[in-house]
Amino acid sequence: VLDSIPTNNKKNQGSTWESYYRFRKANGDYSHVHDSAHIIYENRKPSRMIGATQDISSWKLSELHLEESERKLSLIARQTVNAVIITDDQEKIIWVNDAFTNITEFTLADVIGRETGSFLLGNENNPLTLKYLRKRIKHDQPFNCDIVNYTKSGRRYWMQFQGQALLNQHGSIEHYFAMGTDITEKELLENKLIEERLNRQKEITQAILSAQETERADIGKELHDNLNQILGAAKLYIEMAKNDDSIRPMALEKTSGYISTVIEKIRQISRVLASPNMHTIGLLESIHSLIEDLITVYPI
């Protein structure tokens, strides 16, 4: 401190002096002070000073705390695995950390002075996401959304993007701060699960359609190769009964048996295709329906 005091004045004129330092008080504590004084020279030598000493300990401690906080924040921003972006009040990038480069492959030299929207918002993003971002930034509001984009080499990646405006002591925007988390693996896994689910649904649908086709083929074969032949035989016996009275009882008996067989076969096919839903129509209605079918064959 003493070395900062001028030791001569060739023009023999007074001058001012000031200094910041700390000293130890009588109780052992230290205080930070600001000294300012007017130096009086005699024969070009400083003889005395007129001035004042101001205790600036609280201001100095606040400044030290702020510097320490900024140092820690800078250290965290540099060491974190999340991408950190800081822009000026015009949304032009002024700093990015190493994690940003690791994720996007863009260095600070590549992006400094550029707006984030010029290269961080790919065409594959949902238009509603872009609208949301622009609206939040326009109104100086925090934002949180997922974006998709491409690295410098063309690799697609997904990032969860969070940010907000940083205000100065006067309440005006000084910077914009944004942090991005690489969620590419999570998105790829989710997309893979969705694709597997869709493929499984397609396989189930194909199996159902295949089973239906097989069922229709079996029913068609049963109708053509079996029931159609039985009905043909029944028609033949009816024609014989019409033309020959001597064999009419036997022919009608055969015809009745064939028709009963056809009815039972059709009942079996119908039961497979549409089984009665007792929970829907009730027990009594199910019994009535069954009796109505039986009456057509056996009058009761």
Side-chain angles (χ1 to χ4, degrees):
V1 175
L2 296 176
D3 290 341
S4 67
I5 301 175
T7 58
N8 60 66
N9 188 336
K10 294 181 179 180
K11 295 183 179 180
N12 201 26
Q13 294 177 350
S15 62
T16 59
W17 167 85
E18 67 175 351
S19 179
Y20 296 89
Y21 59 93
R22 73 169 190 162
F23 68 89
R24 186 177 182 182
K25 298 187 294 186
N27 62 3
D29 295 336
Y30 285 90
S31 290
H32 293 267
V33 299
H34 172 223
D35 270 0
S36 60
H38 182 75
I39 305 174
I40 305 299
Y41 290 87
E42 293 180 358
N43 297 323
R44 299 180 181 178
K45 299 290 185 180
S47 62
R48 61 187 182 277
M49 293 192 301
I50 302 174
T53 299
Q54 179 184 4
D55 188 345
I56 59 170
S57 297
S58 58
W59 172 80
K60 189 65 177 179
L61 288 175
S62 297
E63 184 183 60
L64 292 174
H65 286 319
L66 180 60
E67 290 177 355
E68 179 64 15
S69 298
E70 290 178 346
R71 187 188 68 80
K72 290 180 178 178
L73 180 60
S74 175
L75 180 62
I76 292 172
R78 291 181 184 279
Q79 298 299 323
T80 181
V81 297
N82 296 323
V84 176
I85 307 169
I86 299 178
T87 73
D88 60 17
D89 58 344
Q90 300 299 314
E91 302 178 33
K92 301 292 180 63
I93 294 176
I94 59 175
W95 186 81
V96 295
N97 66 347
D98 292 338
F100 174 89
T101 301
N102 293 335
I103 295 173
T104 68
E105 300 173 6
F106 288 101
T107 64
L108 177 61
D110 294 327
V111 301
I112 193 167
R114 297 176 62 180
E115 294 184 2
T116 55
S118 66
F119 68 100
L120 278 182
L121 300 176
N123 296 328
E124 295 182 42
N125 285 290
N126 189 324
L128 293 178
T129 300
L130 302 180
K131 183 178 179 181
Y132 161 82
L133 270 175
R134 294 189 183 101
K135 181 179 179 181
R136 301 291 289 188
I137 293 174
K138 180 180 179 181
H139 294 90
D140 304 329
Q141 296 175 332
F143 57 84
N144 186 349
C145 62
D146 295 346
I147 63 170
V148 58
N149 202 19
Y150 289 87
T151 64
K152 189 176 181 180
S153 64
R155 176 181 59 84
R156 185 167 62 171
Y157 69 91
W158 285 262
M159 183 182 291
Q160 184 183 36
F161 216 40
Q162 297 173 294
Q164 65 181 49
L166 300 179
L167 307 180
N168 58 24
Q169 58 184 351
H170 304 294
S172 301
I173 295 177
E174 193 170 56
H175 300 290
Y176 286 98
F177 174 87
M179 185 169 64
T181 303
D182 189 350
I183 57 172
T184 302
E185 290 187 7
K186 174 178 172 247
E187 287 292 328
L188 291 176
L189 179 59
E190 289 181 354
N191 291 339
K192 182 179 179 180
L193 291 175
I194 291 173
E195 184 177 357
E196 290 178 352
R197 191 179 300 117
L198 291 175
N199 290 334
R200 195 178 305 117
Q201 289 175 349
K202 290 179 181 178
E203 291 174 358
I204 293 173
T205 301
Q206 187 60 41
I208 292 173
L209 293 175
S210 179
Q212 289 176 343
E213 289 297 327
T214 301
E215 186 179 57
R216 290 192 184 101
D218 291 341
I219 292 173
K221 185 177 181 180
E222 178 69 16
L223 292 174
H224 180 270
D225 296 345
N226 191 7
L227 299 185
N228 194 43
Q229 300 300 323
I230 295 174
L231 289 174
K235 183 175 182 296
L236 179 62
Y237 275 103
I238 290 174
E239 293 296 332
M240 291 172 60
K242 287 166 58 177
N243 298 325
D244 191 341
D245 294 338
S246 63
I247 63 172
R248 181 174 300 163
M250 181 275 295
L252 292 176
E253 181 68 24
K254 287 282 189 181
T255 300
S256 177
Y258 286 143
I259 292 176
S260 295
T261 299
V262 170
I263 291 173
E264 181 60 29
K265 290 290 185 181
I266 292 176
R267 192 190 310 280
Q268 293 174 1
I269 294 173
S270 300
R271 201 173 285 125
V272 172
L273 293 177
S275 58
N277 190 346
M278 193 174 298
H279 295 289
T280 303
I281 65 176
L283 176 61
L284 187 60
E285 289 78 4
S286 297
I287 293 174
H288 278 302
S289 176
L290 181 60
I291 291 175
E292 287 176 359
D293 290 341
L294 292 174
I295 289 175
T296 61
V297 182
Y298 308 104
I300 58 174

